[in-house]
Amino acid sequence: VGPYILVTPNETRRKQLQQVAKKELDDLEQWKEEHRLGRIQLIPQKLGGKESEAQARQKQQMMLMQSKYQQKHKREEYVKAKKAAEEDEILKKKALQREKAERLEVKKRQQEMQRRETFLKDQYYKTNELLNRLDVGLPKSDSCQIANPGPESTAWTRSRAYKQAFREDETKRLEEMKQEQRKKAELMEFKQKQEEEARTRAHQHEQRRVNNAFLDRLQNKTQPNNIYQPGYTG
């Protein structure tokens, strides 16, 4: 341990500091005593407002009834809104399923028309090929121009006439099928347009109904005291 110096305390300085601290504490206590709050003295007066106790009780009862009625009305409106939303969702799902079924039906009809058209075309080509093979075995038109046409020229003429008639009949049938398919497509488009307009009108009607119900509720909330007029026993 190194050397150290022992300093003797200054008793005079210590006493002076203690006196200053004591004086400050005394001054603080004196200030608190001088600024202490006194008693509150109020002038006696009649409380309770202008209404009597019976009127206050009646008013409280009416407010309670009104509050219960409003809560019940809110619950009913919530249930109605929830039910309407569920019904709207169900109608949307049904409409979607109906549209899918209609599109599937249109697709099936188009496929059937395409199969029929392909079948007729194939039949037309096969018949045309058969007639062409028959034409190969018959004499040419130049060799058939004799004074007395024989049975070969008569068969050739009948074959050419049958071939021409068959081609005309097949062309007519194809044209009729195309026209029928076009009419069906136009009819289906017109039907879809009518259904879309009907759904739009129904949606607009539902919106008007919801808006009118909201306005009625708003009007009832702005005039809640009308149901509690004197003489009302509901």
Side-chain angles (χ1 to χ4, degrees), residues 1-2 13 34 46 54 69 75 78 81 92 94 97 104-105 108 121 123 135 157 169-170 183 195 198 202 209 234:
V1 180
R13 180 63 177 168
E34 291 176 355
K46 184 178 181 181
Y69 173 77
R75 286 195 299 269
Y78 173 76
K92 288 181 180 179
K94 288 183 178 179
Q97 293 296 331
L104 183 61
E105 185 67 23
K108 287 182 179 179
K121 287 182 179 180
Q123 186 180 9
D135 288 341
T157 304
D169 184 57
E170 290 297 321
K183 289 181 180 179
E195 291 179 353
R209 186 186 67 80

Side-chain angles (χ1 to χ4, degrees), residues 102-113:
E102 290 175 356
R103 287 197 296 267
L104 183 61
E105 185 67 23
V106 171
K107 186 177 180 180
K108 287 182 179 179
R109 290 179 181 176
Q110 291 178 352
Q111 290 177 354
E112 183 66 24
M113 294 293 293

Side-chain angles (χ1 to χ4, degrees), residues 48-87:
K50 298 181 180 180
E51 295 181 354
S52 62
E53 183 180 358
Q55 292 176 350
R57 296 285 185 182
Q58 185 179 3
K59 185 178 180 180
Q60 185 180 9
Q61 185 68 21
M62 291 174 63
M63 291 177 64
L64 181 61
M65 292 174 62
Q66 182 179 356
S67 177
K68 290 182 178 179
Y69 173 77
Q70 289 178 354
Q71 291 178 0
K72 181 180 179 182
H73 185 68
K74 288 181 180 179
R75 286 195 299 269
E76 292 177 354
E77 291 297 330
Y78 173 76
V79 172
K80 289 181 181 179
K82 185 178 180 181
K83 187 176 180 181
E86 292 177 353
E87 291 177 355

Side-chain angles (χ1 to χ4, degrees), residues 5 21 91 96 103 142 161 209:
I5 299 174
L91 290 177
L96 183 61
R103 287 197 296 267
D142 295 337
R209 186 186 67 80

